[in-house]
Amino acid sequence: SSDLLAPLSQLRLGLLAGHPGDADGAPLPEALSACFGQLVHLLARGGGQAVLPEGSPLLRDATFLETTLAWGERPRATTRYGERCVGPGLHVMEAHDASGKRPMSWVETTVVLCG
């Protein structure tokens, strides 16, 4: 039914790449990076939002960055932990406690991305 159809501008997607058992700095499969990059690009063009935590390996992945971003600037946090993003596009969420010293656990990050 038409009740199930909504424009991309009403979609907010939180992305986590990897899992808690991954070794730090382990490379992501190129196909996954390209797929997530294309998904984020599609959402942004349609007025939707994609949110990544600032520690995401996607933000260090050349394939994802080349697919998603049109500029050479390194992504930086655009929204605070737990706050709603403003405007369409790719948003990077701070992923540390109020002191800025303790990174949030993957459980805390997942809960906020789902909220």
Side-chain angles (χ1 to χ4, degrees):
S1 100
S2 64
D3 293 339
L4 299 177
L5 301 177
L8 286 176
S9 61
Q10 293 182 4
L11 184 60
R12 178 177 179 239
L13 177 67
L15 293 174
L16 286 175
H19 59 81
D22 283 345
D24 287 336
L28 296 170
E30 187 169 359
L32 178 66
S33 299
C35 179
F36 275 177
Q38 291 170 358
L39 178 60
V40 168
H41 185 76
L42 176 67
L43 281 172
R45 286 189 56 194
Q49 296 177 339
V51 186
L52 291 172
E54 65 184 339
S56 173
L58 287 169
L59 297 174
R60 297 183 305 272
D61 186 274
T63 299
F64 176 81
L65 295 174
E66 289 169 7
T67 305
T68 306
L69 304 174
W71 59 88
E73 187 176 317
R74 291 279 303 162
R76 59 177 174 70
T78 57
T79 188
R80 296 181 59 106
Y81 179 80
E83 291 184 356
R84 298 291 268 169
C85 302
V86 177
L90 172 62
H91 293 272
V92 179
M93 178 188 72
E94 290 180 349
H96 54 271
D97 67 2
S99 73
K101 296 179 182 174
R102 184 182 70 83
M104 293 295 182
S105 73
W106 70 271
V107 173
E108 292 168 308
T109 301
T110 302
V111 168
V112 171
L113 288 176
C114 293

